[in-house]
Amino acid sequence: MLSFANFMKWIFFLYVSCLLLSCSTTDRDYKYEDNFSFLETPDAKTQNFIKTHNRIAKESLLSDPSRLKENESILVSSQTNPRMTFVGPYVFKLEKNKRNPRGRLLFTAIDKIGQRSSVWKSAIDFDRLSAKEKIKWSFSKIDCLLPEANSCLVHLSKDGGDKVEVREFDLRKRRFVKKGFRVPIGFTKTAWINPSQIMVATNVGDGTVGSGGLANQVRLISRGQKLTAGKIIFGLQPDYISLYFQGHPYKNSQLVIGSQFASEKKNDFWVLTSAEPQKIPTPKASIFYGIHNDYLVFQCWTPWLVGAKRCGKGDLIGIHIDQAGSKQASEDKVIVLYKARPESSIYSVGVSSKGILVNYLENVIGKIVGVKIDSNQKKQSLRLRRLSGHLRLQEVDYRKGRFLVGSQDYLNPARLSLFDIDENKASIVKTQEASFDSKGMTYQQLWATAPDGVKIPYFVVGKKKALASGNAPTIVFSYGGFGITYTPKYDSLLGKNWLEKGGLYVQAGIRGGGEFGPDWHKAALREKRVVAFDDLIAVLKDLVIRKLTTKSKLGAYSGSNGGYLLGGVMVREPNLLKAVALKVPLFDMLNFHRFLAGSSWVSEYGDPRVSKDRAFLERLSPYQNLSKKVNYPSTFVYTSSSDDRVHPSHARKMAAKLLDYGSEVYFYESQEGGHAGAATLKQQAYWETMMFQFFQLKLGL
């Protein structure tokens, strides 16, 4: 699951488009010769391809059923510490096990978590709901009316996809409300206004959606009112392409903040009410985190100067709420809360009525500092008692100023603590049980040098003997896109299936991610995507130079955007890797805009419909640059028929073309799971078991 900060960054960069690109005209779609375009549609020929290769993959990579059962059991055991979500006075968690593979949504009072007397009540049993309605429902999110949080909107995902159906839920009675608010399945966003009204953005007919099928207007819906009859209170303005909104705790209620996006260099924020929306004077591009003592808290993604006060890239600022509706912010109404340093970046920010915790990364190691705005409207730094470990800020109790803080690394299981900002102390809520034997293991951070001289950080994890062997089977993970950062994490299946057996694991923080702030991400945008490829190639070569492994023992895996990344590496350095595994990958960069949400990613990748963009995408797209004359690494590709973010045709066509060129390829396509590739723990165990078996076979572990 994405951290709050990574979720906000994903939203920030997902809903962007080509309208403000330097080339204002768009050429017609070009047609390319493609012998495997039939795999873009789910016809009989495609289904036969899936069936045939699923059978081959299962026979080869699931030959030992006991491994699958063991991995599923490990995942079930890991669910003793599921992610928690704070909503008003309650904390929710989704608990999955073999009896409830789709999970039960449980809740209790935040005051009770960590106590022996705490009783978790079941709100929704998704297995029972799925059986009753004969639809494979999964939990997506829950949003409740503050402050009591008894009336909720539950987002239900069909087959694990991004599209959701929204239903009103009574938390006290623990049941859906008959004739309550309900929004049909779609790419939908909602927020409460009051007990009788909600805001909704969804597809309600022609002209109500924009790029990638995303809604382009927000409607105010009263109880019992049809969606089409709702008043449009916020809509996309000219030159903007997508919008987003969310309710945020404020005093004894909540405030809805809306935003609209043009590109990674331009977005706007608005206070949304049932009356006219009020624009907030902000930097040209920023991320919103919450409201503290009447100040709206933003992170600047472009520099902003208000009088003598400067908010640099990556800095955190507060803008007084009374500035909403003003064309320009007053200097005395803006407070610089945190200054980013070159070696650091903000990972997440928790905003409460009592104070603000800033979770920042220093050379990719998570740390936390605290600030508040006092009664004199001055910034006050908070002296926090030391919180140890690689820290991740996960949830915020807005009313009481309590923060759920996680601490974990590659070898130490997750520990959750509830930090009270008034008492300045943390109490342990839950500690995850160890899932593998880490005795004799260690990890270290190393740095590779990219072709342009930039130092690229990476972690190496494994047994000390393996690190010293010089030829340890090694798998490398990297992502490098959308400003998303991956930090040290305890991975039960990685430890059991790979580290315990003597393999090394490497995690690389290449450009395109957010390890060092906005500029680290922007360094690999569009035609500069080759920078991400070069960074990862530098890390892979550095592992060999340091004699940690050899090319014949070196593999890599990633997913989604990581398909583009590893595809680019395979095309440029086909002999550098022995094996590559990809999950729900993006691969065909000349056609990605044609499917699902693809057209909303052109600010990240470029637009194939624009001639100058098409020129560099033709050079970079892995699918079009595969060659019959090249021997590529053995490849395992895993995708999902229900993925409504990255179309499964990327994976199908990649596998088919590599097979046609004589490469060794294993392909598997699950029927549900969406972009996560799994809706149940068993489905997750499928992917992980097959991936580790693949690497064990190809890298000789």
Side-chain angles (χ1 to χ4, degrees):
M1 183 178 289
L2 291 174
S3 71
F4 176 73
N6 279 340
F7 171 75
M8 290 300 293
K9 290 173 183 175
W10 179 80
I11 289 294
F12 181 75
F13 296 114
L14 175 62
Y15 301 127
V16 293
S17 187
C18 60
L19 295 186
L20 291 185
L21 297 179
S22 56
C23 182
S24 59
T25 59
T26 302
D27 301 330
R28 63 180 176 84
D29 273 343
Y30 272 64
K31 299 296 182 182
Y32 296 88
E33 289 188 14
D34 187 354
N35 294 332
F36 305 103
S37 59
F38 70 90
L39 293 170
E40 296 172 355
T41 56
D43 58 15
K45 193 175 180 181
T46 296
Q47 295 305 315
N48 185 60
F49 176 88
I50 295 169
K51 184 178 179 180
T52 299
H53 290 285
N54 277 8
R55 176 180 53 79
I56 295 171
K58 287 178 69 174
E59 290 174 353
S60 302
L61 305 180
L62 285 177
S63 56
D64 184 357
S66 64
R67 289 191 179 190
L68 178 62
K69 291 181 180 179
E70 181 184 16
N71 283 334
E72 185 182 1
S73 296
I74 291 172
L75 289 173
V76 170
S77 177
S78 299
Q79 285 292 301
T80 57
N81 192 30
R83 180 177 175 85
M84 299 182 185
T85 302
F86 288 5
V87 182
Y90 299 114
V91 54
F92 293 85
K93 66 178 181 180
L94 184 68
E95 189 171 85
K96 297 181 180 180
N97 50 47
K98 291 183 179 179
R99 184 178 178 181
N100 291 101
R102 299 190 177 279
R104 289 189 305 152
L105 184 65
L106 308 178
F107 72 101
T108 191
I110 296 176
D111 294 336
K112 297 291 185 180
I113 58 172
Q115 299 180 11
R116 291 184 178 179
S117 60
S118 63
V119 176
W120 289 86
K121 298 179 180 179
S122 177
I124 303 173
D125 184 325
F126 287 93
D127 294 276
R128 185 177 298 176
L129 179 66
S130 297
K132 179 182 178 181
E133 300 187 357
K134 297 182 179 180
I135 297 175
K136 294 177 180 179
W137 291 118
S138 298
F139 174 68
S140 179
K141 65 173 286 189
I142 186 167
D143 176 31
C144 303
L145 178 64
L146 301 178
E148 293 85 2
N150 290 317
S151 296
C152 303
L153 296 172
V154 176
H155 291 225
L156 303 170
S157 166
K158 182 181 177 183
D159 296 328
D162 287 349
K163 290 182 178 180
V164 296
E165 180 177 304
V166 182
R167 300 182 192 177
E168 185 177 358
F169 187 82
D170 188 323
L171 195 61
R172 288 168 297 191
K173 296 179 180 179
R174 288 187 275 171
R175 66 188 185 194
F176 291 108
V177 178
K178 291 184 178 180
K179 298 183 179 180
F181 289 113
R182 189 160 181 164
V183 184
I185 195 162
F187 293 117
T188 302
K189 309 174 192 69
T190 60
W192 286 97
I193 296 296
N194 55 54
S196 301
Q197 293 179 310
I198 63 172
M199 289 184 185
V200 177
T202 193
N203 183 354
V204 294
D206 293 343
T208 63
V209 294
S211 179
L214 306 173
N216 60 16
Q217 52 186 231
V218 180
R219 293 173 181 254
L220 183 66
I221 307 299
S222 298
R223 192 170 292 281
Q225 188 178 35
K226 292 182 178 181
L227 292 174
T228 53
K231 175 186 175 183
I232 299 174
I233 58 172
F234 185 57
L236 284 178
Q237 296 182 345
D239 295 335
Y240 290 81
I241 198 64
S242 293
L243 55 80
Y244 179 76
F245 64 95
Q246 184 176 342
H248 293 267
Y250 178 52
K251 296 184 177 178
N252 290 321
S253 185
Q254 67 183 25
L255 193 67
V256 179
I257 303 297
S259 53
Q260 55 180 1
F261 298 83
S263 74
E264 80 284 349
K265 297 180 180 179
K266 183 178 180 181
N267 63 353
D268 292 330
F269 288 86
W270 304 69
V271 174
L272 303 184
T273 66
S274 56
E276 288 295 317
Q278 293 182 308
K279 187 178 180 182
I280 305 165
T282 58
K284 287 185 177 179
S286 57
I287 297 175
F288 177 71
Y289 283 104
I291 311 164
H292 167 66
N293 288 355
D294 294 327
Y295 277 81
L296 303 160
V297 179
F298 289 89
Q299 183 185 11
C300 296
W301 275 73
T302 53
W304 196 40
L305 191 64
V306 182
K309 294 179 180 177
R310 184 181 187 278
C311 184
K313 291 180 183 179
D315 294 350
L316 199 70
I317 58 167
I319 303 170
H320 200 280
I321 198 167
D322 68 9
Q323 298 299 285
S326 302
K327 290 185 177 181
Q328 190 171 7
S330 300
E331 182 179 356
D332 62 341
K333 298 290 186 176
V334 174
I335 300 175
V336 179
L337 299 170
Y338 175 83
K339 298 289 290 184
R341 299 188 299 277
E343 71 278 8
S344 70
S345 67
I346 291 178
Y347 184 68
S348 64
V349 178
V351 181
S352 78
S353 62
K354 306 279 185 163
I356 302 167
L357 292 191
V358 180
N359 186 190
Y360 68 98
L361 300 180
E362 190 168 86
N363 290 329
V364 205
I365 304 298
K367 300 182 179 182
I368 288 178
V369 295
V371 297
K372 66 179 294 185
I373 299 172
D374 62 24
S375 57
N376 296 318
Q377 298 189 356
K378 301 292 183 182
K379 183 191 98 170
Q380 178 182 336
S381 297
L382 302 176
R383 291 189 176 183
L384 305 181
R385 288 187 181 178
R386 187 172 180 270
L387 295 168
S388 60
H390 297 283
L391 302 176
R392 292 183 181 183
L393 181 58
Q394 295 188 4
E395 293 293 330
V396 181
D397 176 4
Y398 177 83
R399 302 173 306 148
K400 296 186 177 182
R402 296 178 295 185
F403 301 80
L404 193 65
V405 179
S407 174
Q408 62 179 314
D409 59 39
Y410 300 111
L411 304 178
N412 294 290
R415 183 182 69 244
L416 286 178
S417 300
L418 190 64
F419 180 81
D420 189 306
I421 205 166
D422 279 343
E423 297 181 6
N424 196 15
K425 71 176 184 179
S427 56
I428 296 177
V429 171
K430 192 77 175 179
T431 301
Q432 182 182 6
E433 295 181 4
S435 302
F436 62 92
D437 183 5
S438 62
K439 185 178 180 180
M441 295 183 189
T442 187
Y443 71 91
Q444 57 184 310
Q445 187 179 47
L446 300 172
W447 300 77
T449 303
D452 59 1
V454 174
K455 299 295 183 180
I456 309 300
Y458 66 94
F459 292 97
V460 183
V461 191
K463 291 183 177 181
K464 295 176 183 177
K465 289 183 179 179
L467 286 164
S469 70
N471 65 343
T474 302
I475 53 175
V476 180
F477 173 82
S478 193
Y479 187 76
F482 293 93
I484 293 173
T485 304
Y486 287 85
T487 59
K489 176 186 177 183
Y490 188 81
D491 188 324
S492 300
L493 294 189
L494 172 70
K496 195 68 178 178
N497 290 271
W498 193 255
L499 300 179
E500 265 193 10
K501 298 179 185 298
L504 297 182
Y505 170 72
V506 174
Q507 186 170 295
I510 65 175
R511 281 173 285 184
E515 284 78 1
F516 297 101
D519 286 344
W520 196 254
H521 167 243
K522 292 178 181 178
L525 284 176
R526 294 168 45 76
E527 69 274 10
K528 294 181 288 186
R529 205 60 170 195
V530 69
V531 169
F533 305 163
D534 288 342
D535 284 359
L536 183 53
I537 289 170
V539 171
L540 297 172
K541 289 183 176 180
D542 198 60
L543 291 168
V544 176
I545 292 171
R546 292 177 186 269
K547 296 184 178 180
L548 291 168
T549 189
T550 61
K551 292 181 181 180
S552 64
K553 296 286 186 177
L554 188 55
Y557 75 97
S558 192
S560 191
N561 167 81
Y564 185 15
L565 169 67
L566 288 183
V569 171
M570 287 171 60
V571 167
R572 279 156 184 73
E573 296 276 356
N575 299 318
L576 187 54
L577 289 164
K578 180 70 174 179
V580 171
L582 295 167
K583 186 180 183 184
V584 293
L586 187 67
F587 207 68
D588 181 354
M589 301 311 296
L590 293 182
N591 288 291
F592 74 90
H593 64 289
R594 295 174 45 224
F595 302 101
L596 305 173
S599 60
S600 63
W601 306 331
V602 295
S603 185
E604 180 81 11
Y605 299 130
D607 190 341
R609 297 164 295 186
V610 176
S611 56
K612 75 169 189 175
D613 289 12
R614 186 170 61 251
F616 67 73
L617 286 169
E618 285 176 338
R619 296 193 304 271
L620 296 176
S621 179
Y623 184 68
Q624 281 75 20
N625 283 283
L626 292 174
S627 172
K628 286 184 178 181
K629 300 178 181 179
V630 176
N631 293 320
Y632 294 104
S634 298
T635 307
F636 171 44
V637 186
Y638 187 102
T639 191
S640 168
S641 301
S642 62
D643 188 348
D644 51 11
R645 194 181 309 174
V646 175
H647 198 279
S649 64
H650 285 274
R652 297 169 190 159
K653 295 199 304 179
M654 171 191 180
K657 194 168 187 178
L658 283 170
L659 284 165
D660 186 56
Y661 286 179
S663 294
E664 183 181 48
V665 180
Y666 299 94
F667 173 86
Y668 189 87
E669 182 169 328
S670 66
Q671 295 304 301
E672 62 172 320
H675 193 55
T680 68
L681 296 180
K682 186 173 183 178
Q683 291 167 9
Q684 183 181 343
Y686 251 77
W687 150 250
E688 304 243 18
T689 303
M690 295 173 86
M691 181 187 73
F692 287 119
Q693 176 71 6
F694 168 73
F695 281 129
Q696 288 165 14
L697 288 171
K698 301 307 168 186
L699 303 183
L701 184 64

